[in-house]
């Protein structure tokens, strides 16, 4: 009996050694280490991940039998802002919203995304560990409920060259005393901590990109004009940049547009915290908001263009070794080279 069929919660456990200590390389342990650093600063982190997926009008078995060729998207047209196309999938989407909510994955909204058959379901923000747990349960639930409806889905970062990639945009903020520490009410904008945190993300995200893009397929998504970033910049409403800042007051936060839907949420959240906290430690500043088309600006730092490049950067990263531990860096670099 599945948890989304009964309303039961699911518990995702840490990996333990024989002596009861945490396995350092386990994704949950990597994230927990960064959260311990946040707690020592007297702060609390909140975040949310936005997952996109493609829905196909055929079963997993039929897709497998056909060698995953001639997949049939659930809509004939690009869905974004289309009134009728998402309705075709509403029986399944309604089941997803209801059953995932019953499994204590609180769904905030669902919508059709840009490409044919592409959808997005968002759930309410939380602290990183429960959010990552919900993220994992969500992906499994979507696959199994779709299968029960005779459909198939994929969370691949780039399933087809002609279609938009599946992203996992991550929104994150640090709180203190029940208030968002990223917001400066007097300045009506970002606080010093916010600017330091975003400065760290800008500086260190390329060398931590392995935790945002963990597969060979991940790097097919980073293309100019593809809605996925290729260079490091931030802006308030500019989808060509790696980071977009939105909201105000307690809702003020940066949106990291680098991770794909294939990212491990524990590792992606940990990478953001490691980079952001480094920005605070080093008193970095994010600089002014970018204006223009970041895809076309050669002065901006680039993201790695392949899994091999990302692995090389990660393996050489002094920040990765100090934040996660040398054994963690060695483990994930070795894993990536076997991909």
């Amino acid at each position: 009996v599945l948890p989304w069929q009964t309303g039961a919660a699911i518990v995702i456990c840490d990996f333990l050694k024989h002596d009861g200590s945490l396995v350092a390389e386990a994704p949950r342990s990597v994230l927990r280490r960064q959260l311990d650093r946040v707690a020592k600063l007297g702060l609390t982190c909140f975040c949310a991940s936005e997952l996109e997926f493609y829905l196909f009008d055929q079963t997993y078995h039929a897709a497998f039998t056909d060698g995953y060729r001639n997949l049939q998207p659930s809509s004939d047209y690009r869905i974004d802002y289309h009134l009728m196309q998402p309705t075709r999938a509403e029986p399944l989407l309604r089941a997803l919203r209801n059953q995932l909510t019953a499994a204590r994955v609180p769904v905030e909204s669902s919508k059709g995304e840009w490409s044919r058959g592409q959808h997005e379901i968002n759930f309410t923000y939380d602290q990183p560990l429960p959010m990552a747990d919900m993220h994992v349960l969500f992906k499994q639930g979507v696959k199994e409920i779709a299968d029960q409806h005779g459909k198939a889905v994929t969370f691949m970062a780039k399933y087809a060259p002609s279609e938009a990639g599946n992203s996992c945009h991550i929104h994150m903020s640090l709180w203190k005393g029940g208030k968002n520490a990223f917001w400066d009410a007097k300045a009506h904008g970002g606080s010093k901590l916010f600017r330091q945190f975003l400065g760290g993300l800008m500086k260190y995200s390329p060398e931590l990109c392995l935790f945002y893009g963990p597969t060979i397929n991940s790097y097919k998504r980073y293309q100019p004009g593809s809605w996925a970033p290729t260079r490091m910049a931030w802006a308030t409403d500019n989808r060509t940049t790696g980071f977009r800042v939105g909201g105000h007051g307690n809702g003020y936060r940066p949106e990291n547009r680098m991770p794909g839907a294939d990212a491990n949420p524990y590792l992606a959240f940990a990478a953001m915290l490691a980079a952001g906290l480094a920005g605070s430690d080093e008193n970095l500043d994010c600089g002014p908001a970018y204006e223009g088309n970041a895809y076309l600006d050669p002065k901006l730092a680039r993201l790695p263009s392949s899994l091999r490049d990302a692995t090389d950067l990660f393996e050489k990263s002094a920040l990765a070794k100090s934040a996660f531990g040398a054994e963690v860096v060695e483990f994930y670099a070795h894993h990536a080279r076997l991909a």
Side-chain angles (χ1 to χ4, degrees):
V1 178
L2 300 177
W4 40 86
Q5 294 174 323
T6 64
I10 188 168
V11 177
I12 301 177
C13 299
D14 293 296
F15 289 95
L16 301 177
K17 297 180 180 178
H18 292 298
D19 62 3
S21 61
L22 295 176
V23 175
E25 299 89 348
R28 228 168 177 269
S29 300
V30 174
L31 175 56
R32 191 182 291 278
R33 183 172 180 174
Q34 299 310 305
L35 293 175
D36 288 343
R37 294 179 63 201
V38 172
K40 288 179 180 178
L41 296 172
L43 298 167
T44 303
C45 180
F46 286 98
C47 65
S49 53
E50 300 179 23
L51 273 167
E52 297 171 348
F53 60 91
Y54 278 88
L55 174 65
F56 302 109
D57 283 336
Q58 58 212 110
T59 65
Y60 285 106
H61 178 70
F64 171 80
T65 301
D66 291 340
Y68 300 101
R69 297 181 177 87
N70 302 314
L71 295 171
Q72 303 164 15
S74 62
S75 66
D76 297 324
Y77 309 105
R78 304 204 182 281
I79 296 181
D80 219 4
Y81 304 111
H82 200 294
L83 296 178
M84 188 181 78
Q85 295 298 314
T87 307
R88 293 181 173 181
E90 181 56 21
L92 170 61
L93 293 172
R94 180 178 176 82
L96 288 170
R97 290 193 301 267
N98 291 343
Q99 293 185 47
L100 288 166
T101 299
R104 301 181 191 176
V105 180
V107 173
E108 186 175 80
S109 63
S110 64
K111 67 179 292 292
E113 257 300 334
W114 188 75
S115 289
R116 294 183 304 140
Q118 191 178 33
H119 293 268
E120 178 181 297
I121 296 179
N122 298 322
F123 32 100
T124 307
Y125 74 92
D126 207 327
Q127 295 188 42
L129 274 177
M131 174 57 63
D133 292 345
M134 287 190 291
H135 180 121
V136 171
L137 177 58
F138 169 85
K139 290 181 75 171
Q140 185 66 23
V142 168
K143 293 174 185 177
E144 296 201 17
I145 296 169
D147 189 48
Q148 293 170 0
H149 283 73
K151 309 279 187 178
V153 301
T154 184
F155 288 93
M156 285 182 68
K158 191 77 169 177
Y159 104 90
S162 60
E163 301 294 342
N166 282 324
S167 70
C168 172
H169 297 160
I170 299 175
H171 302 252
M172 182 173 286
S173 57
L174 297 178
W175 289 53
K176 188 169 187 176
K179 294 183 179 180
N180 184 357
F182 280 175
W183 178 253
D184 185 336
K186 292 181 180 179
H188 201 71
S191 66
K192 181 179 180 180
L193 177 61
F194 165 81
R195 299 189 66 84
Q196 292 172 333
F197 194 92
L198 183 53
L201 288 172
M202 298 270 289
K203 178 178 179 179
Y204 288 111
S205 285
E207 61 194 68
L208 301 182
C209 191
L210 181 62
F211 280 1
Y212 301 145
T215 70
I216 292 174
N217 181 261
S218 304
Y219 296 85
K220 298 178 181 180
R221 177 174 158 264
Y222 300 135
Q223 298 178 14
S226 66
W227 305 112
T230 59
R231 296 180 183 273
M232 289 292 91
W234 76 273
T236 55
D237 192 13
N238 184 337
R239 288 174 172 81
T240 71
T241 62
F243 298 96
R244 191 166 59 136
V245 176
H248 65 279
N250 282 344
Y252 192 73
R253 78 279 181 191
E255 173 194 43
N256 183 353
R257 300 176 60 80
M258 293 172 57
D262 56 350
N264 181 309
Y266 302 97
L267 300 180
F269 295 166
M272 282 190 71
L273 286 170
L277 293 177
S280 177
D281 291 341
E282 298 172 25
N283 194 26
L284 300 179
D285 187 84
C286 58
Y290 182 80
E291 296 183 4
N293 187 340
Y295 290 129
L296 304 178
D297 193 339
K299 298 188 298 295
L300 299 175
R302 288 187 60 90
L303 289 178
S305 59
S306 68
L307 180 61
R308 178 180 295 173
D309 290 345
T311 304
D312 288 343
L313 285 173
F314 183 76
E315 195 169 38
K316 297 173 184 176
S317 171
L319 174 65
K321 292 173 184 175
S322 65
F324 309 132
E327 71 278 16
V328 172
V329 172
E330 180 183 4
F331 177 87
Y332 285 104
H334 180 69
H335 180 271
R337 295 197 191 286
L338 294 177

